[in-house]
Amino acid sequence: MCGRFTIEFSDPDKYKNRFNIEGLFPKDKMRTSYNIRPSTNIPVVVTHSPNSVEPMKWGFVPAYQEKMDKPFGLINIRSDKLTKGWIHKDVISTRCIIGASGFYEPK
């Protein structure tokens, strides 16, 4: 399980073409970062028709925590538990693409 990841935007047009993004593309908000941690706003490809890029916060707040003052949230979910756990049963209703260049676990 990774706790940090990287995104490299050396060629934003390559990213745009790779993920079939049409329309406005926020090149000014697409910055290379080698230390993306939980709760950071990141560019996410939302698979609508056409695909678009939207900023989203890295993390997941389960439904039972949404009304809490300080939800603790999750940053990753094991694939074998995705459809079995009661916390995660509504997670797979929507999908997106995070174009990460790499991932790592800090010491």
Side-chain angles (χ1 to χ4, degrees):
M1 307 259 184
C2 71
R4 306 276 170 103
F5 69 96
T6 64
I7 296 179
E8 187 173 341
F9 291 110
S10 55
D11 186 358
D13 288 328
K14 185 177 180 181
Y15 189 88
K16 183 177 177 176
N17 293 334
R18 167 68 176 91
F19 296 112
N20 251 354
I21 298 167
E22 296 182 16
L24 296 175
F25 186 69
K27 289 182 183 179
D28 58 325
K29 296 184 181 179
M30 308 294 271
R31 294 190 178 95
T32 295
S33 179
Y34 298 105
N35 187 21
I36 299 172
R37 54 189 189 274
S39 77
T40 302
N41 283 326
I42 55 174
V44 174
V45 179
V46 181
T47 55
H48 294 297
S49 181
N51 292 346
S52 62
V53 175
E54 296 179 16
M56 292 188 183
K57 185 188 273 191
W58 177 22
F60 168 72
V61 177
Y64 74 91
Q65 290 186 18
E66 286 178 353
K67 294 187 172 47
M68 294 173 70
D69 288 336
K70 293 183 180 180
F72 57 86
L74 307 166
I75 61 166
N76 50 30
I77 301 170
R78 288 176 39 160
S79 62
D80 61 332
K81 305 285 185 192
L82 187 60
T83 57
K84 295 177 184 169
W86 63 272
I87 293 176
H88 317 303
K89 64 183 174 187
D90 59 345
V91 174
I92 58 173
S93 60
T94 57
R95 293 182 174 205
C96 65
I97 300 170
I98 300 171
S101 305
F103 55 91
Y104 62 98
E105 190 69 40
K107 289 186 176 185

